[in-house]
Amino acid sequence: QVQLVESGGGLVQPGGSLRLSCAASGRIFSINAMGWYRQAPGKQRELVAVIGRRGITNYADSVKGRFTISRDNAKNTVSLQMNSLKPEDTAVYYCNWLVANALGAEYDYWGQGTQVTVSS
């Protein structure tokens, strides 16, 4: 069983920065994709950023140029560097991994979420 644990959330002023990290415990054969989603109160969960096995990234339009996703394959971790934060970035941020086993079957794993609050 794979468990994901996020860290790095908190309260920051508008224009500030935060770095989120996500690490896994458990046996992992291959990680096909690692991503970050967020959910603000009263809104649906949305994709923030995703990075594939070869390092190809994709970002939500609302965070392009401000957020950077990166992965460390040796340590099985993924990070999200968030700069120039805005109040509308306030949400619970979730780590999501698409993990494959030796037979190629894929499994979707989620972290428990970490709160990011941008406020003066």
Side-chain angles (χ1 to χ4, degrees), residues 32-37 47-53 55-60 63 68-71 78-80 96-98:
N32 288 348
M34 307 164 102
W36 290 93
Y37 289 72
L47 174 69
V48 176
V50 63
I51 184 167
R53 192 166 50 187
I56 296 174
T57 58
N58 190 34
Y59 296 91
V63 307
T68 302
I69 189 170
S70 59
R71 61 188 287 174
V78 62
S79 297
L80 185 69
N96 170 257
W97 291 14
L98 187 63

Side-chain angles (χ1 to χ4, degrees), residues 30-89:
S30 176
I31 305 170
N32 288 348
M34 307 164 102
W36 290 93
Y37 289 72
R38 67 185 180 187
Q39 187 167 19
K43 294 188 177 182
Q44 289 188 332
R45 190 173 297 188
E46 63 175 357
L47 174 69
V48 176
V50 63
I51 184 167
R53 192 166 50 187
R54 293 185 176 88
I56 296 174
T57 58
N58 190 34
Y59 296 91
D61 287 343
S62 59
V63 307
K64 282 180 181 176
R66 300 188 298 123
F67 291 10
T68 302
I69 189 170
S70 59
R71 61 188 287 174
D72 186 328
N73 292 329
K75 296 181 179 179
N76 278 351
T77 59
V78 62
S79 297
L80 185 69
Q81 178 65 42
M82 305 185 294
N83 299 328
S84 302
L85 283 160
K86 305 175 181 180
E88 50 264 43
D89 294 318

